[in-house]
Amino acid sequence: MDYERAGERARALVSKMTVEEKASQLLYNSPAIERLGIHEYNWWNESSHGVARCGTATVFPHSIGLAATFDGVLIHDVADVISTEARVKYNQHEKYGDYDIYKGLTFWAPNINIFRDPRWGRSEECYGEDPYLCGQNAAAAVKGCASAGLEVVAKHFCAQGETTGGVNASAARIGERELREIHLPAMKEAVKAGATGVMAAYNEIDGVPCHANEWLLKDVLREGLGFDGIVMADGVAIDRLDMLTGNDKAANSAYALNAGVDVSLWDDSFPHLEEAVERGLVSEETLDKAVLRVLELKFARGLFEHPYLEEKPLTEYNVPKTFPQSLEIARQSAVLLKNDGVLPLKKEKKLRIAVIGPNADALYQQLGDYTPPLRDGVGVTVLDGIRNEFKNADVRYALGCTICDDDTSGIAEAEKLAEESDLVILALGGSSSRFAGAE
């Protein structure tokens, strides 16, 4: 990509824009500016282990499973497949001028947070607890995504995995040494590999929210790590700066922009950027720098040229014959347990098996969050797998409890079933999906 030429074109374009137009380009769902040839663009797309929210796509093990392979080449292959499918989907949408949500070329992955507390509900999204391994995997994922022209937005910067009590977005109570030795290496590797986007983290570090932390986003990220791409906000995170401003949305936007955030997400604050400039809370020069980074990336990626390419369309996703490596990747991610007292189970025995838990018969939760929609008949739940393998067994199921509410009405049934069975297979865990239990 010719970033020098892209920079020249971006500067020429910014010089023709009003403050209102500039501010509009820093929204995640930025509108078109027809007089300047800028079409609308939505920055939101997910690809943690497959193109997540743009129709059917190939599903791979989630990040924590991929990390268990200890194979960077394999992770590169996963990202390469995701990149290929994403580009095909983008070309199909571009052909018809469809710039809606989940249809761009900027994908929010990989998650480079270090897994520090087993209670943290987003642990499945990251590559585990080892900074070196996370860094190597992040670099492999970034390079794989670049193979077909995806722009990655590595997240979350920084230390969101250092949760207090396992609560997502809680304060990261760490010093600078922990920050640099544990939490920065993975982002450093992602930047070196070519990540052109970084998403700021919800948490605060040493009392300062990451979205308002100029030292973190400028001194550490840009100066220290050499990052020169865009910094995105996480969802409604800029609105959470109300704690600093007393619910002044224009001041929130100024705090974030001055700290180094370029693009907002879902918040009610960045729509007040024009007001923030008028009130002198942020300079137009600072606004220009953010808009330049955004437009430069768009020019470099070719988003102004409508780069529809005639290429072989993919008609089948998540089938081995399309990407045969997907099955081997799933096999390599499995972690097996050995227990000579119970395992392996004897198929010929007429066992009474209780399968219990909210994730036992819920395919979406079993595969993890950010899972692409599946074709009918694709995927095997834990319950189905046990029934398929143990034809001679009496396999019974009980939900036991739910995930997203306090309903415990099924616990008594689960206890009774467990008492009547030879063994119990529990499928526990969580889900950050609001649809948990419905898919």
Side-chain angles (χ1 to χ4, degrees):
M1 291 183 289
D2 186 352
Y3 273 101
E4 183 176 351
R5 175 58 178 154
E8 293 175 0
R9 296 175 70 184
R11 284 189 291 274
L13 197 57
V14 171
S15 68
K16 303 175 184 178
M17 298 171 71
T18 66
V19 172
E20 180 183 9
E21 289 171 335
K22 294 172 187 176
S24 74
Q25 295 305 293
L26 303 188
L27 304 177
Y28 85 96
N29 52 347
S30 56
I33 304 177
E34 293 183 3
R35 72 180 186 87
L36 298 176
I38 301 175
H39 62 67
E40 64 182 289
Y41 188 76
N42 196 301
W43 292 86
W44 190 4
N45 225 324
E46 306 283 1
S47 62
S48 292
H49 60 131
V51 181
R53 295 172 178 169
C54 188
T56 306
T58 302
V59 181
F60 295 96
H62 220 316
S63 303
I64 197 70
L66 292 174
T69 68
F70 291 90
D71 190 338
V73 174
L74 179 148
I75 290 174
H76 181 281
D77 289 346
V78 168
D80 180 63
V81 172
I82 293 172
S83 180
T84 299
E85 291 191 350
R87 170 57 79 169
V88 170
K89 289 174 180 290
Y90 174 80
N91 287 345
Q92 291 168 348
H93 300 136
E94 174 70 22
K95 181 178 181 180
Y96 298 101
D98 186 352
Y99 306 116
D100 202 357
I101 190 171
Y102 307 137
K103 295 175 181 177
L105 283 176
T106 43
F107 283 76
W108 300 350
N111 186 327
I112 51 81
N113 293 138
I114 307 301
F115 181 18
R116 299 282 284 172
D117 191 316
R119 294 169 295 182
W120 185 41
R122 302 189 68 169
S123 57
E124 68 193 47
E125 298 178 39
C126 61
Y127 293 121
E129 73 279 8
D130 184 88
Y132 176 79
L133 179 63
C134 291
Q136 296 304 299
N137 290 344
V142 170
K143 292 176 182 178
C145 283
S147 63
L150 258 65
E151 300 292 347
V152 303
V153 179
K155 60 184 184 181
H156 308 82
F157 195 73
C158 189
Q160 192 163 320
E162 188 73 47
T163 61
T164 300
V167 178
N168 189 48
S170 60
R173 293 187 169 92
I174 56 174
E176 188 170 347
R177 178 178 175 182
E178 290 170 289
L179 176 70
R180 293 190 180 278
E181 292 186 357
I182 297 173
H183 299 285
L184 290 187
M187 182 59 79
K188 180 179 180 180
E189 294 302 320
V191 171
K192 284 170 55 180
T196 51
V198 166
M199 181 177 284
Y202 279 122
N203 54 280
E204 61 184 53
I205 298 175
D206 198 20
V208 182
C210 291
H211 285 73
N213 195 327
E214 187 171 354
W215 172 78
L216 181 70
L217 299 181
K218 290 184 178 179
D219 295 352
V220 175
L221 180 61
R222 294 200 182 278
E223 297 299 324
L225 301 186
F227 177 72
D228 60 1
I230 64 163
V231 173
M232 281 207 62
D234 208 341
V236 302
I238 299 177
D239 287 346
R240 295 174 63 169
L241 300 182
D242 283 345
M243 67 179 78
L244 304 176
T245 69
N247 200 30
D248 185 335
K249 300 305 181 187
N252 288 351
S253 69
Y255 253 115
L257 195 66
N258 284 327
V261 176
D262 299 313
V263 180
S264 68
L265 178 60
W266 309 337
D267 58 81
D268 295 325
S269 297
F270 256 43
H272 293 269
L273 267 176
E274 184 179 8
E275 177 190 343
V277 173
E278 292 172 352
R279 289 168 55 186
L281 301 175
V282 64
S283 69
E284 188 171 352
E285 180 184 9
T286 298
L287 177 66
D288 286 354
K289 289 180 179 178
V291 178
L292 273 171
R293 283 191 284 266
V294 167
L295 294 180
E296 182 179 77
L297 181 60
K298 287 185 174 182
F299 273 121
R301 179 46 61 207
L303 294 177
F304 281 86
E305 277 67 41
H306 302 279
Y308 171 69
L309 302 174
E310 289 289 350
E311 60 181 39
K312 181 181 178 181
L314 290 176
T315 57
E316 292 187 288
Y317 300 87
N318 203 44
V319 289
K321 68 179 182 181
T322 306
F323 293 109
Q325 64 269 49
S326 62
L327 179 58
E328 182 59 25
I329 289 167
R331 287 171 173 159
Q332 293 296 324
S333 72
V335 178
L336 304 180
L337 303 178
K338 182 178 180 180
N339 183 328
D340 292 333
V342 177
L343 301 174
L345 300 179
K346 302 295 190 294
K347 294 184 180 181
E348 63 275 9
K349 286 188 176 182
K350 294 185 178 181
L351 298 169
R352 293 170 297 179
I353 301 177
V355 181
I356 297 173
N359 288 351
D361 197 31
L363 188 58
Y364 182 93
Q365 290 155 235
Q366 181 178 308
L367 295 173
D369 206 1
Y370 301 112
T371 291
L374 301 177
R375 295 182 297 109
D376 291 340
V378 171
V380 178
T381 67
V382 172
L383 177 61
D384 289 338
I386 297 298
R387 284 175 171 163
N388 292 341
E389 288 297 313
F390 296 91
K391 303 294 187 182
N392 292 328
D394 179 12
V395 180
R396 299 183 184 184
Y397 165 69
L399 177 67
C401 65
T402 55
I403 293 176
C404 295
D405 56 42
D406 298 324
D407 183 3
T408 59
S409 60
I411 291 181
E413 178 191 6
E415 290 178 342
K416 182 176 184 298
L417 181 59
E419 291 174 355
E420 296 173 347
S421 301
D422 297 312
L423 61 94
V424 174
I425 297 174
L426 283 174
L428 303 175
S431 175
S432 59
S433 170
R434 70 186 62 186
F435 303 111
E439 294 189 48

